[in-house]
Amino acid sequence: MRAILATPALVDTELPEPVPGPHDLLVRIEAVAVNPIDTKLRAAVREGDPPRQLGWDAAGVVAAVGERVGRFRVGEAVIFAGDAGRAGCNAEAVLVDERLVGHRPARLSWAEAAVVPLTGLTAWEALFERLGLDPDAGADVGAAGGGSSKGPSLLILGGAGGVGSIAIQLARRAGAAVIASASRPESAAWVRELGADHVVDHRRPLAPQLAALGFETVDRIANFSDTDAYWEVMAGLIAPLGSIVAIVGNRRPLDLNLLKAKSVTFAWEFMFSRSQFQTADMGLQGEILDHLAELFERGELRPTLGRTLSPINAANLEIAHAQLASGSTIGKIALVGWG
């Protein structure tokens, strides 16, 4: 089968097709998406290291199943992010534990479906498991515009990125008053289209902008950008008894004492925690993906695809990695088809 390996350069190669274990699906890949984990893990591959098969966002068709698989049959279309401890999806066929897999939303294209899993799971876990929002509290408001939000205030840092783009929609559905950060006219327009109630520019001081909108503090903060850069700012903006979640690891020590007087809760969100530690509730990720698929099917969520490249090969993956590393991506980038 065709595959793309990081050596650290990205190279096209041929590999044997893997054989499913008891809980595995063998999925033939139709489309993949890129995420920061790809560029971070690629950067860790040095000359002389074993090559690494990256990619943890995919849509494809089940080609074979392990002996203990019960949720899927051969021929079903699926989506998954999978397990960062296993070979990624940058290959024509890949193995994934069925508990981490959801059904593909039929109304989405392969490329649109491939961008859902990693960011969808991250946003869902961040908002509903870490920040404690109710996923259905404001379902009548709708995801992208319409109605008004009367629930808790939520500041999303990095609103136009992959996680932010789905989180805005989920937060609106949860009834939150969503304030999304975006620094360019096109990214500000994007987050408004997705349903953000307010937009602030994260390249300018945030407190005055929030105050002008009527928010001296906010109830929740979801930092999908730079934890270090906004730590002191978040400590000042968060309301007493509020909650903060972050997904980007810190490079320097974080002063948790800044949160003590307000009794603020801080939590990390790492989508791969369940698969890495084989938690007892690992199957929740498959359930979340199925729930997200239902929301897409009903038109309650809109795709977050920003750019599509074809076919899936090392050259196009290099383009996708470069754009992702630029920090100017709106939505997500997908590669579709093998040419």
Side-chain angles (χ1 to χ4, degrees):
M1 67 176 185
R2 286 173 286 186
I4 304 164
L5 297 180
T7 66
L10 296 174
V11 295
D12 295 306
T13 190
E14 292 280 338
L15 295 175
E17 190 170 279
V19 178
H23 291 286
D24 286 339
L25 307 178
L26 177 68
V27 180
R28 299 213 178 280
I29 301 301
E30 297 289 343
V32 300
V34 296
N35 295 283
I37 188 173
D38 297 302
T39 54
K40 289 176 182 176
L41 291 182
R42 178 184 172 185
V45 179
R46 306 299 181 187
E47 293 292 344
D49 288 349
R52 181 123 194 217
Q53 187 173 306
L54 305 173
W56 289 277
D57 238 353
V61 177
V62 178
V65 300
E67 59 186 19
R68 296 185 184 177
V69 168
R71 292 180 59 227
F72 298 94
R73 300 185 306 275
V74 171
E76 288 191 284
V78 296
I79 56 174
F80 63 91
D83 180 349
R86 303 182 74 177
C89 60
N90 292 338
E92 284 188 289
V94 67
L95 298 179
V96 59
D97 189 305
E98 71 159 340
R99 291 169 288 185
L100 303 173
V101 178
H103 294 84
R104 170 199 168 193
R107 68 182 291 167
L108 299 189
S109 68
W110 287 116
E112 289 171 335
V115 306
V116 171
L118 190 147
T119 51
L121 287 167
T122 300
W124 186 283
E125 292 177 358
L127 296 178
F128 307 135
E129 297 182 8
R130 310 289 172 258
L131 294 183
L133 296 177
D134 179 347
D136 299 312
D140 57 329
V141 172
S148 59
S149 302
K150 302 295 184 182
S153 54
L154 169 68
L155 172 62
I156 295 178
L157 296 171
V163 180
S165 293
I166 188 68
I168 289 169
Q169 300 179 69
L170 291 173
R172 280 280 291 177
R173 197 174 182 280
V178 180
I179 309 148
S181 81
S183 62
R184 294 172 290 142
E186 57 269 35
S187 55
W190 171 261
V191 299
R192 286 192 180 94
E193 289 172 13
L194 294 175
D197 296 286
H198 309 283
V199 182
V200 292
D201 183 350
H202 50 252
R203 293 183 179 175
R204 298 191 291 117
L206 291 173
Q209 297 179 73
L210 288 169
L213 295 171
F215 298 95
E216 295 300 326
T217 60
V218 289
D219 301 312
R220 312 277 199 281
I221 299 176
N223 188 339
F224 302 137
S225 180
D226 188 323
T227 305
D228 292 274
Y230 294 103
W231 185 253
E232 289 80 8
V233 174
M234 293 191 297
L237 291 176
I238 192 66
L241 310 184
S243 301
I244 300 171
V245 66
I247 66 172
V248 178
N250 54 303
R251 300 175 300 278
R252 56 182 174 79
L254 301 176
D255 184 1
L256 287 172
N257 285 323
L258 295 178
L259 309 181
K260 183 177 183 296
K262 295 181 183 178
S263 295
V264 168
T265 299
F266 173 71
W268 290 112
E269 161 56 25
F270 184 53
M271 192 225 73
F272 293 108
S273 294
R274 285 187 161 115
S275 58
Q276 180 177 337
F277 296 101
Q278 296 285 296
T279 61
D281 66 351
M282 193 170 78
L284 277 177
Q285 292 204 327
E287 295 175 19
I288 293 168
L289 288 176
D290 277 346
H291 191 54
L292 288 169
E294 292 172 6
L295 296 178
F296 278 106
E297 283 293 281
R298 298 202 298 262
E300 295 183 34
L301 297 177
R302 57 171 282 183
T304 60
L305 179 66
R307 182 182 184 185
T308 304
L309 299 168
S310 185
I312 305 171
N313 59 27
N316 280 330
L317 194 59
E318 189 71 66
I319 293 170
H321 279 202
Q323 182 173 335
L324 191 65
S326 74
S328 61
T329 304
I330 297 176
K332 291 192 66 177
I333 308 167
L335 286 73
V336 63
W338 289 90

